[in-house]
Amino acid sequence: MRPFSPHHTQPTPAERVRSLLASAHSMTVVTDGHRRDVHLQDETGVMGHMHLHDQAEGVHGGPGPRIPVRLELTDIAPTAVRERLRARVTVTGLLGADYVHDATESTCMEFGQALLEDAEGRTYVTLDELVAADPDPIASSEAAMLTHLVDSHAELVPLLLRLVRPRPDRRLVRALPVALDRYGVTLRMEYPVGHRDARLPFPTPVTGIDEAGPRIHALLAAARRSSHPNGLLT
């Protein structure tokens, strides 16, 4: 496993792409002029459905023409925030044979490029960066954990707001968690016009899903020790 940088407080683009490929339940495959929505039934995600390899290895699959293919994935916030689309990921490459969505074995795909598009802009990720990145251990459980927090422990979200700097002002309409990953929690603060996100980093990155709960409890403990004069916040 790659060592974590102590300066990282959020995932790198390669980590975000790798985590989405590992945890996505669906994607759109565009090839030979057709679009097909594919639902991923197992726990291996896209990387189990598509075997990505370097251009130097060539395309496996027979002597026929190489077929361009594009994989499209969307990263949607699991909570009911404004603008739930967090990112789009597009992976392009070549197939050595016609795509079969229900094939029993992984489809071989020569990697071309991966593109991450989010609020920060467009970032290209190489295959080497993708392979070197570890999938986030929280990624497959993020939706369940955040919806549980909102549905069963909604009173804890205003508590976390005590840690936000700069502090939210009194125009705040509501706040909800919009993301959870190995590096921390992101809160979305919604105002009558617009919104802003605040990052609450963990002291150290999570290396296993069993560490996520204690990290969140540590944030809550820090929030309880913090004073917040804003009357809107508990």
Side-chain angles (χ1 to χ4, degrees), residues 100-174:
V100 180
H101 78 281
D102 55 357
T104 57
E105 296 183 355
S106 176
T107 299
C108 185
M109 175 179 171
E110 178 184 313
F111 180 89
Q113 66 180 21
L115 172 64
L116 172 70
E117 299 176 275
D118 61 10
E120 303 300 318
R122 296 157 58 93
T123 305
Y124 289 95
V125 176
T126 68
L127 183 59
D128 286 344
E129 291 172 328
L130 201 57
V131 171
D134 294 318
D136 195 306
I138 296 178
S140 60
S141 302
E142 180 199 18
M145 295 179 72
L146 287 187
T147 53
H148 176 73
L149 174 62
V150 171
D151 294 342
S152 302
H153 303 284
E155 75 283 357
L156 298 180
V157 178
L159 183 60
L160 288 173
L161 280 173
R162 294 184 180 185
L163 300 176
V164 172
R165 297 294 185 273
R167 293 172 173 172
D169 63 44
R170 292 183 178 275
R171 296 176 301 135
L172 181 67
V173 175
R174 68 170 182 172

Side-chain angles (χ1 to χ4, degrees), residues 25 34 139 178:
H25 296 294
H34 300 286
V178 68

Side-chain angles (χ1 to χ4, degrees), residues 20-223:
L20 184 58
L21 292 177
S23 62
H25 296 294
S26 64
M27 65 177 172
T28 299
V29 178
V30 183
T31 182
D32 199 23
H34 300 286
R35 297 177 62 89
R36 178 183 290 274
D37 293 326
V38 177
H39 297 280
L40 305 169
Q41 303 295 335
D42 56 28
E43 298 299 322
T44 62
V46 178
M47 300 292 274
H49 187 76
M50 288 279 191
H51 170 64
L52 306 179
H53 61 85
D54 191 85
Q55 295 177 357
E57 299 178 27
V59 179
H60 309 167
R66 298 334 189 193
I67 303 170
V69 62
R70 184 169 75 249
L71 314 181
E72 299 175 349
L73 300 97
T74 54
D75 181 17
I76 305 295
T79 51
V81 294
R82 294 177 187 166
E83 299 185 22
R84 292 182 65 185
L85 178 64
R86 299 188 298 198
R88 297 184 190 275
V89 169
T90 305
V91 182
T92 57
L94 297 172
L95 300 179
D98 290 335
Y99 173 70
V100 180
H101 78 281
D102 55 357
T104 57
E105 296 183 355
S106 176
T107 299
C108 185
M109 175 179 171
E110 178 184 313
F111 180 89
Q113 66 180 21
L115 172 64
L116 172 70
E117 299 176 275
D118 61 10
E120 303 300 318
R122 296 157 58 93
T123 305
Y124 289 95
V125 176
T126 68
L127 183 59
D128 286 344
E129 291 172 328
L130 201 57
V131 171
D134 294 318
D136 195 306
I138 296 178
S140 60
S141 302
E142 180 199 18
M145 295 179 72
L146 287 187
T147 53
H148 176 73
L149 174 62
V150 171
D151 294 342
S152 302
H153 303 284
E155 75 283 357
L156 298 180
V157 178
L159 183 60
L160 288 173
L161 280 173
R162 294 184 180 185
L163 300 176
V164 172
R165 297 294 185 273
R167 293 172 173 172
D169 63 44
R170 292 183 178 275
R171 296 176 301 135
L172 181 67
V173 175
R174 68 170 182 172
L176 289 171
V178 68
L180 171 66
D181 54 64
R182 58 157 53 111
Y183 295 104
V185 180
T186 302
L187 297 181
R188 175 156 297 171
M189 293 165 290
E190 299 178 350
Y191 295 93
V193 178
H195 66 267
R196 76 176 176 97
D197 292 346
R199 186 77 176 166
L200 304 180
F202 297 140
T204 57
V206 168
T207 60
I209 187 62
D210 57 319
E211 299 175 5
R215 293 289 200 285
I216 295 173
H217 285 296
L219 285 180
L220 292 168

